[in-house]
Amino acid sequence: PEAHKASDRAVAARHADMRVLFCHGLESGPGGFKPRALRSQGATVTAPDMAMSLWNPTKRNSVVLGLLSPRAMLTRWPSQWIGGALADSFEACVDVQRTALRDAGPAAFDVLIGSSWGGAVAAALIAEGAWTGPAVMLCPALSELRRHGAIEAIVDQIAALCPRSARHSA
């Protein structure tokens, strides 16, 4: 037990000055397990609330709220309602993280981490050049990006960040 405590202290000390911008998952938030775990290891974590949910209409970027929007209903064909609501929600979440990056300044974070829906948001930030530093994407919801035709651009941007030898050795 004492050895574990010493090991935990050593890990926390190594991460004490790591600054993380964390993009949470679909139904999660800034207080989710992953940001809390990173903080417990000594990282400084900024996790803006993307206010995203599939079904909760009280979340400002929820898909269901987008489906119920008169603007969406009047400007899209019924066959476009779900895809359009997802795209609107996704873009709103990217904007939340884009704003966090802009407001904090370019050197405010050491790493961008995104989980699931947040991983797709992180990939979009990389693809548009809003983030150019190290990134970790945990099970990114890239199928969402593929559905909107953005996956090719994101894959190309990520591949461009990798040295040629690293791409061929995997």
Side-chain angles (χ1 to χ4, degrees), residues 56-152:
N56 185 346
T58 65
K59 301 277 189 167
R60 74 177 177 278
N61 296 324
S62 76
V63 173
V64 73
L65 195 60
L67 285 171
L68 300 174
S69 156
R71 180 190 67 83
M73 286 186 199
L74 296 173
T75 61
R76 293 183 175 128
W77 293 101
S79 62
Q80 299 171 321
W81 286 350
I82 293 175
L86 275 168
D88 291 348
S89 295
F90 183 78
E91 183 53 38
C93 291
V94 172
D95 193 52
V96 167
Q97 299 299 337
R98 193 183 296 123
T99 299
L101 282 167
R102 185 185 62 240
D103 290 352
F109 304 106
D110 300 311
V111 64
L112 172 66
I113 300 176
S115 176
S116 190
W117 179 267
V121 169
L125 292 169
I126 292 167
E128 71 183 33
W131 177 257
T132 58
V136 177
M137 291 175 274
L138 307 168
C139 300
L142 294 179
S143 61
E144 178 57 33
L145 296 173
R146 181 174 290 118
R147 191 176 346 210
H148 299 293
I151 192 73
E152 292 79 15

